[in-house]
């Protein structure tokens, strides 16, 4: 890879809990692509695992043995230029003894251009188990650096210390560190927060009750890592669920919290408390489900404000259960009062009602989804507030012909996406803000093909923004890109890319063209490799950074999983952000290592 190893944010994370090695896990993945375009990355390595789709869920057969305790499984959408992470699932596989595992990558080195600077980047996961799973823990972190600015960022995505005990035949768990609250109650979002949680549950999951003390703000740095050191940003609470009828699927949920939070809607710190209850019920022999949640909150640093939030969802599988083909219909509705605010779900929009319907068809060769939504604000009909209506609709089609005759369609897929959103002012009282009415339309069509030696993609997209206020702030953009990769031999790979865009803004027209090429070759197999890349960006868009660049590196693997890398880069361009802003040469020397250790006794 030309350029430094950098690690960015991971995809949305879902916890699976304790999973046995060799088990088949059932994963809900939004916008699931065809199986031929799915890549599974387990603990940082791309793996070939048996996959299937059933009732709209992705079924993944885990390996029979997994070293270590804590694991992450990333579902990616394969693309010719860059694989896209769709979702990350974390789980634990206790090994029944004392064990630890360390895995990750490291790059450390120095760059010399107008100045000489050292840097370090990479990612790591440490997990351990003591006393046959009674004590477990782990931490996952990454460190990246922007070579153009020298700014480094460390991202800790998960860390915990957990103690499991038996209490009257049930499980009592104490967890310190990162906490997630995944349920259907409007009181919580899916973000990770720091804190302490004590949980009691039975083996059959008939009931689950927990108490917690957590930092109200989303955890995003090393300060207040355990959520208990800042009383001005801390809430205490409880949550739980009960399944009163064995084998019926009826689930009752409750939650509540109270404390002081740092960022109220007023911008000040103050008190915030809330409670919530919910019901989840399957029907039609588990082919359908209905969930409803109701929450009420109170907040303020003076006169308290109160409000309620109601969320409901109904989903039904129209095709026979167990089929590879599935058609699912889903309806969602939410109503949030103007005075509602939960620090544990701060992005829920107040003073709005929103309704949404979705139809998703999944088959081995053809996938389609249609979503339509409508939202309206000013629920209390306040005469001093404006009333706006928002509507949006999206159609996404994916077709994979699966021609096994060796013809053109073998390994080819086509994708079409249409989207429209519309904002209209319904009523504008005197003194209210002016309308911001607009209509936005977008179209995207792409075709790509993967084969043993070659892969390519061609995509066209158009975006059109129509200003409906009369201010004349219309804008549009047309973009086209072409990608090509050719594996000449097992030792030589060539990548080509070309992009062009035409952008119209407020009576002005701008153009942009971008081309790049790279060549990678194994000079001595498994010991010495080289890569060189060139590119040019031509643009008259005001905020663009046009230019030319050259990037090259020579990597020597002197020991297994350890490399010394020499690099020489030249130029300055927005497409090569790691180069010197002012241009010129940048030389580098780096040490790269992949780490994988597992020990049990």
């Amino acid at each position: 890879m030309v350029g430094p190893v950098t690690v960015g944010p991971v995809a949305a994370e879902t916890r699976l809990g304790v999973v046995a090695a060799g088990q088949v896990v059932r994963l809900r993945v939004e916008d699931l692509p065809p199986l031929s375009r799915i890549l599974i990355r387990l603990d940082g390595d791309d793996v070939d695992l048996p996959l299937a789709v059933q009732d709209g869920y992705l079924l993944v057969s885990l390996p029979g043995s997994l070293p270590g305790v804590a694991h992450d499984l990333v579902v990616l959408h394969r693309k010719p230029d860059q694989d896209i992470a769709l979702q990350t699932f974390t789980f634990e596989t206790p090994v029944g003894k004392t064990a630890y595992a360390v895995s990750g990558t490291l790059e450390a080195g120095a760059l010399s251009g107008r100045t000489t600077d050292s840097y370090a980047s990479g990612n790591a996961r440490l997990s351990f188990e003591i006393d046959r799973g009674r004590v477990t823990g782990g931490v996952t972190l990454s460190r990246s650096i922007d070579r153009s600015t020298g700014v480094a960022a460390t991202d800790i995505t998960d860390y915990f210390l957990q103690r499991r005990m038996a209490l009257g035949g049930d499980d009592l768990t104490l967890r310190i560190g990162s906490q997630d609250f995944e349920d259907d109650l409007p009181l919580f979002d899916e973000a990770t927060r720091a804190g302490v949680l004590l949980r009691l549950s039975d083996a059959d999951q008939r009931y689950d009750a927990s108490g917690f003390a957590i930092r109200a703000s989303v955890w995003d740095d090393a300060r207040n890592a355990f959520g208990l050191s800042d009383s001005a940003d801390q809430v205490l609470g409880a949550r739980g669920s009960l399944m009163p009828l064995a084998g019926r699927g009826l689930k009752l949920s409750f939650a509540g919290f109270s404390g002081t939070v740092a960022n109220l809607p007023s911008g000040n710190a103050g008190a915030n408390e809330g409670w919530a209850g919910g019901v989840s019920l399957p029907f039609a022999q588990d082919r359908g489900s209905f969930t409803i949640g109701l929450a009420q909150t109170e907040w303020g640093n003076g006169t308290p404000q109160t409000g309620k939030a109601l969320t409901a969802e109904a989903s039904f599988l129209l095709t026979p259960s167990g089929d590879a083909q599935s058609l699912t219909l889903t309806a969602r509705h939410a109503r949030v009062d103007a005075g509602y605010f939960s620090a544990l779900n701060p992005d829920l929009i107040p003073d709005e009602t929103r309704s949404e319907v979705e139809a998703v068809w999944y088959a081995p060769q053809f996938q389609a989804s249609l979503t339509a939504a409508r939202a309206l604000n000013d629920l209390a009909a306040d005469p001093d507030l404006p009333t706006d209506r928002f509507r949006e609709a999206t159609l996404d089609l994916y077709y994979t012909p699966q021609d096994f005759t060796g013809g053109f369609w073998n390994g080819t897929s086509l994708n079409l996406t249409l989207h429209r959103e519309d904002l209209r002012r319904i009523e504008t009282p005197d003194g209210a803000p002016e309308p911001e009415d607009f209509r936005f339309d977008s179209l995207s069509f792409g075709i790509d093909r993967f084969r043993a030696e070659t892969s390519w993609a061609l995509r066209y997209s158009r975006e059109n923004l129509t200003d409906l206020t009369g201010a004349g702030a219309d804008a549009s953009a047309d973009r086209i890109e072409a990608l090509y990769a050719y594996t000449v031999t097992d030792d030589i790979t060539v990548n080509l890319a070309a992009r062009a865009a035409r952008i119209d803004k407020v009576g002005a027209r701008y153009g942009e063209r971008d081309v790049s090429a790279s060549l990678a070759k194994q000079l001595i197999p498994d010991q010495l490799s080289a890569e060189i890349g060139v590119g040019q960006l031509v643009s008259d868009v005001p905020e663009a950074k046009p230019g030319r660049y050259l990037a090259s590196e020579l990597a020597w693997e002197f020991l297994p999983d350890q490399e010394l890398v020499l690099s020489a880069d030249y130029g300055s361009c927005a497409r090569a952000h790691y180069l010197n802003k002012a241009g010129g040469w940048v030389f580098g020397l780096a040490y790269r290592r992949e780490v994988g250790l597992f020990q049990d006794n």
Side-chain angles (χ1 to χ4, degrees):
M1 180 191 70
V2 174
V5 173
T6 59
V7 181
V10 297
E13 185 172 299
T14 300
R15 297 185 189 279
L16 302 178
V18 177
V19 176
Q23 180 177 333
V24 177
V25 291
R26 194 167 183 250
L27 310 177
R28 169 63 76 183
V29 181
E30 297 293 333
D31 302 321
L32 187 65
L35 288 177
S36 62
R37 295 299 187 268
I38 293 177
L39 176 65
I40 301 297
R41 185 165 295 158
L42 183 60
D43 295 336
D45 295 323
D46 295 342
V47 293
D48 185 12
L49 299 176
L51 303 177
V53 175
Q54 186 180 88
D55 300 342
Y57 287 83
L58 177 65
L59 305 183
V60 181
S61 299
L62 296 177
S65 62
L66 287 169
V69 179
H71 307 278
D72 60 80
L73 185 153
V74 185
V75 180
L76 300 104
H77 187 173
R78 291 184 63 198
K79 299 281 188 177
D81 56 337
Q82 182 181 19
D83 298 327
I84 306 298
L86 300 176
Q87 195 157 351
T88 298
F89 298 88
T90 62
F91 61 94
E92 301 168 26
T93 55
V95 296
K97 57 184 75 175
T98 300
Y100 73 87
V102 180
S103 62
T105 61
L106 168 69
E107 177 172 329
L111 300 170
S112 179
R114 296 180 181 272
T115 61
T116 299
D117 302 292
S118 60
Y119 70 93
S121 63
N123 62 83
R125 172 186 284 274
L126 166 67
S127 60
F128 64 87
E129 177 181 359
I130 302 174
D131 193 16
R132 298 185 179 275
R134 292 182 176 89
V135 178
T136 57
V139 60
T140 303
L141 58 89
S142 64
R143 178 180 173 84
S144 60
I145 185 168
D146 187 333
R147 283 175 63 173
S148 66
T149 63
V151 176
T154 300
D155 184 21
I156 300 178
T157 57
D158 187 35
Y159 67 103
F160 71 96
L161 177 63
Q162 186 167 283
R163 175 74 164 94
R164 297 180 61 189
M165 299 161 279
L167 181 64
D170 294 335
D171 290 330
L172 181 65
T173 303
L174 174 65
R175 181 184 175 97
I176 302 173
S178 55
Q179 311 287 346
D180 298 277
F181 301 100
E182 297 176 4
D183 55 31
D184 299 313
L185 299 177
L187 210 59
F188 301 100
D189 58 19
E190 297 180 356
T192 298
R193 291 176 171 83
V196 177
L197 180 140
L198 184 64
R199 176 189 178 200
L200 180 66
S201 62
D202 70 336
D204 297 328
Q205 301 296 311
R206 290 281 304 277
Y207 78 88
D208 184 320
S210 60
F212 57 85
I214 60 172
R215 178 184 180 183
S217 302
V218 175
W219 190 84
D220 57 2
D221 55 38
R223 295 173 296 178
N224 195 11
F226 297 107
L228 303 178
S229 63
D230 185 3
S231 60
D233 189 23
Q234 182 185 112
V235 298
L236 306 178
R239 62 192 293 268
S241 63
L242 175 65
M243 301 183 72
L245 303 176
R248 298 295 181 86
L250 173 63
K251 180 179 178 181
L252 307 177
S253 303
F254 69 89
F257 74 87
S258 178
T260 303
V261 302
N263 295 304
L264 293 173
S266 60
N268 303 318
N272 187 201
E273 63 181 46
W275 64 266
V279 178
S280 177
L281 177 67
F283 60 90
Q285 299 179 339
D286 291 339
R287 289 172 59 192
S289 65
F290 175 73
T291 302
I292 186 170
L294 176 66
Q296 178 172 313
T297 63
E298 181 176 302
W299 62 273
N301 52 1
T303 303
Q305 296 193 44
T306 62
K308 295 180 180 180
L310 173 71
T311 58
E313 178 177 311
S315 181
F316 186 71
L317 178 66
L318 294 178
T319 49
S321 181
D323 268 12
Q325 301 180 124
S326 63
L327 174 60
T328 305
L329 299 181
T330 304
R332 304 179 182 92
H333 179 75
R335 181 184 176 92
V336 185
D337 292 347
Y340 182 88
F341 174 74
S342 169
L344 304 184
N345 191 6
D347 294 331
L348 196 63
I349 301 175
D351 194 25
E352 181 182 89
T353 179
R354 179 182 174 91
S355 300
E356 179 179 321
V357 292
E358 180 184 46
V360 178
W361 169 264
Y362 193 97
Q365 291 182 259
F366 181 71
Q367 297 83 45
S369 66
L370 175 63
T371 305
R374 180 181 185 273
L376 192 70
N377 73 335
D378 191 20
L379 304 183
D382 189 325
D384 297 325
L385 294 177
T387 302
D388 291 313
R389 182 193 66 204
F390 177 77
R391 295 178 297 185
E392 65 176 336
T394 302
L395 173 65
D396 195 9
L397 305 174
Y398 217 121
Y399 178 53
T400 308
Q402 294 185 350
D403 182 356
F404 298 105
T405 64
F408 173 82
W409 295 111
N410 185 29
T412 303
S413 67
L414 300 97
N415 174 241
L416 172 67
T417 301
L418 303 174
H419 177 77
R420 164 170 282 195
E421 54 189 68
D422 180 280
L423 177 68
R424 299 296 177 98
R425 174 63 55 84
I426 304 301
E427 185 176 352
T428 305
D430 292 339
E434 291 298 318
E436 299 180 354
D437 295 4
F438 70 86
R439 183 175 63 249
F440 176 77
D441 298 290
S442 67
L443 175 150
S444 175
F445 174 76
I447 179 172
D448 61 57
R449 185 170 70 185
F450 286 89
R451 291 190 178 177
E453 295 182 352
T454 62
S455 63
W456 56 264
L458 183 65
R459 178 168 295 277
Y460 167 78
S461 66
R462 176 173 175 79
E463 299 174 346
N464 189 76
L465 176 66
T466 304
D467 180 9
L468 301 177
T469 65
D474 295 351
S476 64
D478 294 271
R479 295 182 173 88
I480 188 170
E481 66 175 340
L483 308 168
Y484 180 79
Y486 177 41
T487 303
V488 183
T489 66
D490 291 340
D491 299 330
I492 302 176
T493 301
V494 177
N495 289 279
L496 305 173
R499 302 174 179 88
R502 187 185 68 182
I503 303 169
D504 293 303
K505 292 183 179 179
V506 195
R509 173 167 292 182
Y510 306 99
E512 190 168 271
R513 300 182 304 277
D514 172 25
V515 294
S516 62
S518 66
L519 170 68
K521 179 175 174 55
Q522 290 279 337
L523 302 177
I524 302 177
D526 300 323
Q527 292 187 32
L528 190 65
S529 62
E531 186 171 354
I532 185 169
V534 295
Q536 180 177 15
L537 174 63
V538 178
S539 175
D540 55 7
V541 177
E543 61 271 18
K545 299 178 181 178
R548 301 176 181 176
Y549 67 90
L550 177 147
S552 62
E553 71 173 37
L554 181 67
W556 172 41
E557 187 173 355
F558 60 95
L559 289 174
D561 300 323
Q562 299 185 63
E563 292 181 335
L564 283 178
V565 182
L566 290 172
S567 63
D569 306 328
Y570 179 82
S572 179
C573 177
R575 299 296 187 197
H577 57 85
Y578 51 85
L579 293 176
N580 229 324
K581 281 186 176 181
W585 284 98
V586 176
F587 298 96
L589 174 63
Y591 167 74
R592 290 180 188 164
R593 178 169 185 175
E594 294 187 7
V595 180
L597 302 174
F598 175 69
Q599 179 69 45
D600 61 21
N601 51 49

